[in-house]
Amino acid sequence: MDRSTELYLREDVYFEPLFNHWFAWPYLIPPVTAARHMVNTHRRIMTSFVNNYQLHIMAVNEPGMAGAEFLNCTQEQVADIRRLIDEIDSHHADMVELSNAVKELDDILRAHSSGETIEKLYEKVPSPLKGYVEIFMDMYHNASYRLLEGLLYRSKFYKPSLQSVSFGMLSKVKERPFALSTPRLPDENHLQFDAHYNAPELDELFKLRDRPADAATIERLFKPYALRGGLDYQDMFTADAPRKRHQPVATGVRVQYIGHAGFMVETNEVTLLVDPVIASRGSDNFDDVLSFSELPPKIDFICLTHNHQDHVSFETLLQLRYKTDTIVVPKNNGGSLSDPSLRMMLRQFNFHVVEVDDMDEVHIAGGRIVSLPFLGEHGDLNVRSKTAWLVELHGKKIFFGADSSNLDPHMYRHIHAISGDIDLLAIGMECVGAPYTWLYGALTTKLVTKKIKDSRRLNGADFEQAAHMVETFRPKQVCIYALGMEPWYNYFMGIEYSDDSKQITESKKLLDLCLERGIPAERMYAYRRFELV
């Protein structure tokens, strides 16, 4: 590396934040949900692999098994996985005890069926949770509890020491491996080191995507860390500036679909992103992907619709932190296990966060952001951390419906009476989602029957529900998004569709309906720009 040359972080470099060697997603950050997943997801899958690695190796090589709970490791890595299990049981025994305490507390509360006062139950709270829960009765005399999340983030159970980072290059791996079922072990294609997510070196490193630095500066960023893996950090940099750059908006409102569930809305005064998952750009997807170099130098707002890993992407948010002013998130339930606070979580990582409730408004230059009620897609759990967004700028109205499944069309009629007609309606149609236990199963403390799993799914809108939205809001344009069809997102989606998959056939019906009514409509894929003037 020529020490006088100005160098950029290569566009095909991808970043993964890790939690105890696993790809970090939102439920691995709050201490109690992290403990439950460490024990009931990570340890369980790794133990299964150690006990029957032949089955796992065979399964991951079968078509259609992406996203299933099989470790993508080799026979030679069995000892490494066994060491990770031992590490949980020895070095993180307190997290195991915390996870077990959740089940014990559930059992205590279920046994309290008299409907009488719960005051004496505080004496029975398991030791790891003592002082970290409030016990209460609902209106039907069922005992329950809420976690005191603010205290837990300041307890021994919140462990930045479990945070580390990994870097890879698309030119070496071609396709990122699926992230949610396999720990990230150091290998010849990746670089890992133990940096917590607030390490100042990370922000400085991510700035190098569009602001070059010399070799000495880059060397100082890596010098504090013991580096693991076969990827040399020097290979991650290039003297070539990004070929694609941000193009400022002169007039009007520009809306850009930026991949999966992500949109960017810009005027000459303000930029906001919705649910960004920014892809690294390699030779195979160079013309399809809007990547980091095409983002503006400042992002005023990032709006997050709900707390699922494909909408709250830590790998993206951490890379955008240095240029982001404010993140806007929905309010949570206040300590329920299935609904941790996005505001508290993101504040651990030094973001400025604004929390909003249903129909709250955030005023921005030239308009406003309105949080709209969001029904469905959470397996019927009492999850409040979800919102759709209405963005109004210079008289143009854009509705980002995320995965809302429109269970009660009356709600949108009430909203339309306030909002009026919409210029652009964006809605997800993942209408056959996974059973809710795929995401929330680690939090349950009793066996969930197959009948319940099959009934309660993470479903977005089907044709009938989405058509009601079109009829109600009378949009000028319709976008169907978040179907997981873009191959560069397979590492967290793990979805493979056929032409007769219900998601495809239902969304095709909506496209046909819009065509009949003269409404431009399309399934979003890769990258798309709309100029609203």
Side-chain angles (χ1 to χ4, degrees), residues 19 29-35 94-95 98 127-133 147-163 344 348:
F19 170 83
I29 304 303
V32 179
T33 57
D94 55 343
M95 298 294 279
L98 181 62
S127 178
L129 285 172
K130 281 189 180 296
Y132 293 119
V133 297
L147 299 165
L148 305 180
E149 288 188 81
L151 278 178
L152 282 160
Y153 273 117
R154 288 157 179 79
S155 74
K156 67 177 183 177
F157 298 116
Y158 179 63
K159 299 185 176 184
S161 61
L162 291 177
Q163 298 170 10
M344 289 188 189
Q348 308 309 311

Side-chain angles (χ1 to χ4, degrees), residues 111-405:
H112 185 79
S113 57
S114 68
E116 297 174 359
T117 181
I118 48 79
E119 291 181 5
K120 290 293 185 181
L121 294 184
Y122 281 98
E123 300 171 2
K124 299 181 180 181
V125 173
S127 178
L129 285 172
K130 281 189 180 296
Y132 293 119
V133 297
E134 177 186 11
I135 305 174
F136 61 87
M137 302 287 276
D138 68 16
M139 294 296 290
Y140 305 99
H141 318 300
N142 300 305
S144 189
Y145 70 94
R146 75 177 186 94
L147 299 165
L148 305 180
E149 288 188 81
L151 278 178
L152 282 160
Y153 273 117
R154 288 157 179 79
S155 74
K156 67 177 183 177
F157 298 116
Y158 179 63
K159 299 185 176 184
S161 61
L162 291 177
Q163 298 170 10
S164 62
V165 298
S166 176
F167 291 87
M169 295 173 60
L170 295 176
S171 56
K172 289 185 176 293
V173 301
K174 299 301 180 184
E175 183 178 359
R176 295 173 62 174
F178 188 68
L180 301 180
S181 62
T182 303
R184 295 313 206 205
L185 299 173
D187 61 28
E188 67 276 9
N189 292 320
H190 293 87
L191 170 67
Q192 294 184 8
F193 53 94
D194 294 332
H196 58 78
Y197 304 154
N198 289 338
E201 291 84 6
L202 291 182
D203 286 338
E204 294 303 312
L205 180 59
F206 298 137
K207 290 177 184 177
L208 298 177
R209 287 202 181 274
D210 51 20
R211 307 178 195 173
D214 59 31
T217 298
I218 294 170
E219 183 179 343
R220 284 196 296 271
L221 298 180
F222 290 93
K223 190 172 183 179
Y225 303 103
L227 307 181
R228 303 184 296 274
L231 176 61
D232 188 332
Y233 79 85
Q234 296 183 73
D235 292 340
M236 294 163 47
F237 298 90
T238 177
D240 297 329
R243 288 160 51 188
K244 296 184 179 183
R245 292 289 196 175
H246 176 253
Q247 301 298 317
V249 176
T251 60
V253 180
R254 177 191 295 165
V255 180
Q256 296 184 84
Y257 171 72
I258 58 176
H260 189 60
F263 279 84
M264 180 162 63
V265 183
E266 296 177 272
T267 69
N268 57 11
E269 298 175 290
V270 68
T271 297
L272 66 91
L273 303 181
V274 179
D275 289 353
V277 185
I278 307 299
S280 296
R281 184 158 44 211
S283 58
D284 291 343
N285 61 12
F286 188 85
D287 294 326
D288 294 325
V289 165
L290 185 147
S291 197
F292 293 94
S293 67
E294 292 173 88
L295 300 178
K298 180 188 177 187
I299 298 165
D300 298 287
F301 297 94
I302 295 178
C303 299
L304 303 177
T305 57
H306 60 296
N307 202 2
H308 289 171
Q309 70 276 3
D310 57 326
H311 297 262
V312 177
S313 168
F314 284 136
E315 68 170 276
T316 294
L317 295 177
L318 292 173
Q319 292 182 81
L320 299 180
R321 177 172 52 190
Y322 74 91
K323 63 165 67 179
T324 298
D325 188 357
T326 299
I327 297 185
V328 189
V329 302
K331 184 186 290 291
N332 81 317
N333 269 327
S336 66
L337 182 64
S338 60
D339 190 23
S341 169
L342 274 168
R343 176 180 60 85
M344 289 188 189
M345 186 190 314
L346 292 169
R347 284 186 177 178
Q348 308 309 311
F349 308 135
N350 296 330
F351 287 102
H352 175 245
V353 187
V354 171
E355 188 179 69
V356 293
D357 210 334
D358 294 336
M359 303 309 296
D360 279 349
E361 296 185 11
V362 176
H363 294 281
I364 61 178
R368 60 179 180 158
I369 303 167
V370 185
S371 61
L372 305 178
F374 177 148
L375 302 183
E377 214 261 336
H378 288 71
D380 304 329
L381 293 171
N382 184 18
V383 173
R384 188 178 173 191
S385 296
K386 56 187 190 292
T387 190
W389 298 109
L390 172 65
V391 177
E392 186 172 351
L393 282 167
H394 300 306
K396 303 299 181 181
K397 300 173 184 177
I398 310 106
F399 184 110
F400 299 106
D403 297 327
S404 179
S405 53

Side-chain angles (χ1 to χ4, degrees), residues 489-508:
Y489 294 127
N490 282 346
Y491 70 95
F492 65 82
M493 290 301 294
I495 290 176
E496 297 179 21
Y497 292 131
S498 63
D499 290 342
D500 60 355
S501 295
K502 188 171 182 181
Q503 296 91 332
I504 301 302
T505 59
E506 291 288 290
S507 59
K508 177 64 164 56

